[in-house]
Amino acid sequence: MIRPVSFSDAQQLLNIYNYYVINTDVTFDLQPLSLQEFQDKLHEITKAFPFIIYEENNEILGYAYAGKFRSRPAYNHTLESTVYVKHNHYGKQIGSKLYAELIKQLKQTNCRVVLGVLTLPNNASVKLHEKYGFTKVGHLREVGYKFNTWLDVGIFELKLS
């Protein structure tokens, strides 16, 4: 089921996220977050933006949320979306279900544009964004450095209104 996040979910969410920090380049965090850091992040996001989880048999298998794209006030109607699926549960359409619900919720806000900011190459994430109507509007070359590799970032845009 898809439901709103609860603060009691923090440890399971952190476990999902830290797997990606340690093992992949899809996030540019270099060190695993502490539970307190993740709880602080969760608190900040949920004050103003949707944060949903996908749960099956009391196990969180994925999550999605939207947050500020940038802090300057002119960007207040532009959000950045995020989705993570537990690493051993790919191919079950969890990310798609989460994204469909997140976009539905964002359409009920005053948000005008949602951006997906993706490490490239990342075919699965690119396909997910394209499935929901995001268009690639930017490609930043070698702007991140992780695992002794320079990484590109793609920016994908979805206009909601």
Side-chain angles (χ1 to χ4, degrees), residues 6-42:
S6 166
F7 285 101
S8 63
D9 298 327
Q11 185 62 61
Q12 284 190 71
L13 300 174
L14 177 64
N15 293 344
I16 292 170
Y17 183 71
N18 278 341
Y19 172 85
Y20 286 94
V21 172
I22 295 166
N23 297 291
T24 76
D25 59 14
V26 300
T27 175
F28 282 8
D29 275 324
L30 301 177
Q31 299 296 322
L33 298 184
S34 71
L35 181 57
Q36 184 63 56
E37 288 171 316
F38 196 84
Q39 288 171 328
D40 292 346
K41 180 178 178 175
L42 186 60

Side-chain angles (χ1 to χ4, degrees), residues 57-73:
N57 300 319
N58 296 317
E59 180 184 10
I60 296 173
L61 302 181
Y63 64 93
Y65 64 89
K68 283 185 175 188
F69 168 62
R70 297 187 83 180
S71 62
R72 292 184 182 93

Side-chain angles (χ1 to χ4, degrees), residues 63-107:
Y63 64 93
Y65 64 89
K68 283 185 175 188
F69 168 62
R70 297 187 83 180
S71 62
R72 292 184 182 93
Y75 291 111
N76 283 349
H77 302 283
T78 301
L79 300 178
E80 182 177 341
S81 60
T82 299
V83 61
Y84 283 98
V85 174
K86 196 167 186 178
H87 73 278
N88 52 353
H89 288 275
Y90 299 135
K92 298 179 180 180
Q93 299 300 306
I94 294 168
S96 289
K97 292 173 185 174
L98 283 164
Y99 237 32
E101 178 61 27
L102 181 66
I103 291 167
K104 178 182 164 188
Q105 289 185 23
L106 292 175
K107 285 182 177 181

